[in-house]
């Protein structure tokens, strides 16, 4: 008897029913659609395509008084075939991409009607939607992925959407998101103006915070260790040219490999991310280490090894014992005379040279060439060159000063240890680690504290 009554009720419901007209058609008031969602899973979230996916139960409630009935039961659970015979809202996802309804083993839809004409329409959806991302703080960024729902054809005069009071957005207990922590899901109702008129829309934003552990282990720690490894060259003797250059080139190439690997999962954005700035900082220190050795090699190694220099005008001739000097008058009487290379410092602003006076090499080249070597020793004006000027000569590799210094040092007979440590290396051992540590401290503080607060964007970004 109950079955016969339900069949009779259904037949009566569809008599004179117009499925093309909304429930409140002709009444002067819009039909209200209440909506809620239960999210079962979320992900993957793609930075390259700037989209995200989620699996959810999407539920809509509205009242259609034309379907109210009197019967033996309060609710009717109907077949989905009934959906084709009644009016239902044309809800769509404005920022959606390739969304679909699950159909295994049958279309996952539910239709339920109670005696007052209140309708529940539920379906299981997999939604893929656009998620415009700002990657300036990557990988210490927070992202806000929107989901925007509304009617495709009915303006606000005919259809109005509202979130269901209470838990309109809920999550399955224990749901986890790969690479992200879920922060919040603010939602709102708003009106969006299109060419066809004003439409009622619903929006929810899923605010996510990226996990940093993976990038700290895979990128940041290796980069720091590689930069520290490049500083080992400061303790390698300056005569070991191939060792120091080889170490510097190896660190640069290793950083290049890490940089390429870290960019494979990111889009080709027009700005630098936080990770890019850290890699550039690491590149700078590795390249600066090579340039530091170039300065050591150029300004402090002349005459000590790779760049031999024999004084042409004032050669120093010695016995086999390097400390027994002889005069030029005894030159014919001595045997086994050797020319030695004098180890001197070209740039006194970096090296521990004995304080002395050097000749004024700024005089005209023609005047200098016209003087004899004897007159040079007695008539040249001597003075101390200011430190800032010495630094300028070194930075711009002043060849005239370099040659003059070579002659001056060799003529004065300075003796230095070939294995002495360059003062540039001594300064670099402190300067490089200290500056790198300060930059790292500033980097982490600035990016960790620079977290944007969520604000609604009007008009909303529907697509990229």
């Amino acid at each position: 008897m109950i079955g016969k009554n339900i069949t009779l009720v259904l037949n009566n419901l569809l008599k004179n029913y117009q499925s093309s007209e909304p429930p409140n058609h002709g009444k002067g008031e819009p039909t209200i659609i209440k909506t809620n969602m239960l999210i079962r899973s979320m992900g993957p979230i793609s930075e390259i395509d700037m989209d995200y996916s989620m699996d959810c139960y999407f539920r809509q409630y509205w009242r259609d008084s034309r379907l109210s009935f009197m019967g033996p039961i309060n609710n009717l659970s109907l077949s989905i075939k009934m959906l084709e015979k009644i009016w239902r809202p044309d809800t769509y996802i404005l920022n959606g991409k390739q969304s679909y309804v699950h159909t295994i083993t049958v279309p996952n839809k539910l239709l339920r009607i109670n005696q007052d004409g209140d309708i529940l329409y539920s379906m299981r959806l997999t939604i893929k939607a656009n998620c415009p991302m700002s990657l300036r703080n990557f990988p210490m960024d927070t992202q806000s992925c929107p989901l925007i729902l509304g009617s495709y054809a009915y303006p606000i005069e005919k259809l109005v959407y509202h979130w269901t009071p209470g838990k309109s957005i809920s999550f399955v207990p224990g749901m986890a998101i790969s690479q992200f922590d879920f922060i919040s899901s603010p939602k709102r109702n708003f009106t969006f103006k299109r060419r066809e008129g004003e439409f009622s829309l619903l929006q929810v934003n899923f605010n996510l915070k990226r996990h940093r552990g993976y990038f700290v282990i895979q990128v940041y720690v290796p980069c720091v260790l590689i930069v520290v490894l490049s500083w080992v060259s400061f303790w390698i003797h300056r005569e070991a040219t191939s060792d120091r250059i080889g170490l510097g080139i190896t660190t640069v190439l290793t950083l290049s490999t890490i940089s390429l690997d870290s960019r494979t999962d990111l889009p080709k954005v027009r700005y630098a991310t936080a990770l890019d700035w850290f890699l550039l900082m690491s590149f700078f220190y590795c390249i600066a280490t090579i340039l530091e050795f170039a300065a050591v090699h150029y300004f402090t190694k002349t005459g000590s090894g790779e760049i031999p220099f024999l004084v042409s005008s004032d050669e120093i001739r010695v016995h086999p014992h390097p400390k027994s000097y002889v005069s030029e008058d005894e030159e014919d009487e001595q045997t086994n005379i050797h020319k030695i290379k004098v180890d001197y410092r070209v740039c006194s602003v970096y090296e521990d040279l004995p304080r002395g006076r050097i000749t004024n090499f700024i005089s005209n080249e023609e005047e200098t060439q016209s003087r004899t070597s004897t007159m040079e020793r007695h008539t040249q004006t001597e003075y101390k060159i200011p430190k800032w000027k010495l630094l300028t000569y070194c930075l711009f590799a002043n060849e005239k000063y370099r040659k003059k210094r070579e002659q001056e040092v060799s003529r004065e007979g300075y003796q230095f240890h070939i294995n002495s440590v360059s003062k540039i290396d001594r300064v670099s051992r402190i300067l490089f680690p200290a500056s790198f540590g300060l930059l790292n401290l500033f980097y982490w503080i600035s990016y960790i504290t620079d977290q944007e607060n969520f604000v609604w964007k009007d008009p909303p970004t529907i697509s990229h």
Side-chain angles (χ1 to χ4, degrees), residues 72-73 75 98 105 115 160 200 218 283 309 316 321 386 388 401:
I73 57 176
N75 296 302
Q98 301 178 0
T105 58
Q115 291 183 352
V160 175
S200 174
Q218 297 294 326
F283 267 114
F309 175 78
I316 301 176
H321 192 282
W388 65 267
Y401 169 75

Side-chain angles (χ1 to χ4, degrees), residues 110-322:
L110 167 67
L111 179 63
R112 185 175 294 165
I113 305 174
N114 68 10
Q115 291 183 352
D116 297 328
D118 292 333
I119 300 175
L120 165 62
Y121 177 34
S122 176
M123 65 186 81
R124 183 183 174 188
L125 297 176
T126 291
I127 300 173
K128 187 175 184 181
N130 289 328
C131 180
M133 298 182 184
S134 176
L135 299 173
R136 296 183 186 277
N137 291 345
F138 177 87
M140 290 169 282
D141 56 330
T142 57
Q143 301 298 338
S144 183
C145 295
L147 183 67
I148 305 173
L149 308 170
S151 172
Y152 188 81
Y154 294 103
I156 196 171
E157 294 82 9
K158 294 185 178 180
L159 209 62
V160 175
Y161 284 85
H162 289 295
W163 289 111
T164 304
K167 291 186 177 181
S168 52
I169 301 294
S170 55
F171 299 86
V172 172
M175 189 193 77
I177 306 174
S178 175
Q179 294 191 23
F180 287 91
D181 285 327
F182 182 77
I183 302 175
S184 62
S185 57
K187 51 192 175 299
R188 65 168 177 169
N189 311 333
F190 70 102
T191 301
F192 183 67
K193 190 173 183 179
R194 286 163 36 190
R195 185 175 58 183
E196 297 83 1
E198 292 187 348
F199 291 78
S200 174
L201 300 180
L202 299 177
Q203 180 176 356
V204 57
N205 278 53
F206 302 103
N207 295 332
L208 309 170
K209 184 177 181 181
R210 193 183 303 274
H211 296 158
R212 301 170 190 156
Y214 170 83
F215 298 94
V216 170
I217 297 173
Q218 297 294 326
V219 180
Y220 284 101
V221 171
C223 286
V224 171
L225 294 178
I226 290 170
V227 173
V228 172
L229 180 63
S230 69
W231 299 338
V232 174
S233 64
F234 300 148
W235 280 266
I236 299 177
H237 191 260
R238 55 185 169 178
E239 296 290 339
T241 305
S242 59
D243 296 340
R244 294 184 67 162
I245 293 297
L247 180 60
I249 296 298
T250 301
T251 55
V252 170
L253 293 178
T254 307
L255 279 177
S256 299
T257 303
I258 295 176
S259 177
L260 292 175
D261 290 342
S262 65
R263 296 288 302 183
T264 53
D265 296 331
L266 291 179
K268 295 178 176 62
V269 293
R270 63 181 181 275
Y271 49 82
T273 65
L275 186 62
D276 293 333
W277 286 119
F278 188 86
L279 291 170
L280 287 173
M281 181 173 65
S282 301
F283 267 114
F284 170 78
Y285 273 90
C286 289
I287 294 175
T289 302
I290 300 176
L291 297 178
E292 184 271 348
F293 176 65
V296 171
H297 186 280
Y298 188 84
F299 293 117
T300 70
K301 282 190 62 180
T302 303
S304 62
E306 278 90 345
I307 308 177
F309 175 78
L310 295 178
V311 181
S312 57
S313 58
D314 298 306
E315 292 178 350
I316 301 176
R317 301 179 179 276
V318 298
H319 281 290
H321 192 282

Side-chain angles (χ1 to χ4, degrees), residues 32 44-45 56 69 83 98 105 111 121 158 269 373 428 431 439:
I32 297 176
I45 299 172
C56 66
F69 63 92
L83 289 170
Q98 301 178 0
T105 58
L111 179 63
Y121 177 34
K158 294 185 178 180
V269 293
S373 59
S428 299
L431 179 62
L439 283 176

Side-chain angles (χ1 to χ4, degrees), residues 17-83:
Y17 185 88
Q18 297 293 330
S19 61
S20 61
E21 297 177 356
N24 293 340
H25 178 70
K27 295 182 180 180
E29 60 182 14
T31 300
I32 297 176
I33 309 296
K34 296 181 180 180
T35 305
N36 66 36
M37 301 177 68
L38 172 63
I39 299 174
R40 304 179 71 245
S41 63
M42 183 173 289
I45 299 172
S46 173
E47 289 83 7
I48 295 180
D49 299 325
M50 290 198 176
D51 58 26
Y52 71 101
S53 300
M54 68 176 182
D55 183 11
C56 66
Y57 295 120
F58 180 62
R59 307 184 184 109
Q60 300 177 89
Y61 305 83
W62 71 93
R63 173 169 290 186
D64 192 344
S65 58
R66 297 173 297 178
L67 297 177
S68 60
F69 63 92
M70 295 295 293
I73 57 176
N74 294 327
N75 296 302
L76 289 176
S77 295
L78 305 178
S79 169
I80 59 174
K81 293 182 180 180
M82 190 70 173
L83 289 170

Side-chain angles (χ1 to χ4, degrees), residues 335-376:
T335 58
N336 300 326
I337 299 176
H338 300 277
K339 295 180 182 180
I340 67 168
K341 291 179 282 186
V342 181
D343 180 28
Y344 48 81
R345 274 59 170 181
V346 175
C347 188
S348 59
V349 80
Y350 296 122
E351 299 299 328
D352 296 329
L353 286 176
R355 290 192 174 271
R357 299 184 175 278
I358 65 173
T359 57
N360 182 4
F361 65 95
I362 306 178
S363 59
N364 259 333
E365 187 176 357
E366 294 181 358
E367 280 184 68
T368 305
Q369 291 178 354
S370 64
R371 296 178 183 177
T372 61
S373 59
T374 306
M375 301 212 26
E376 235 179 347

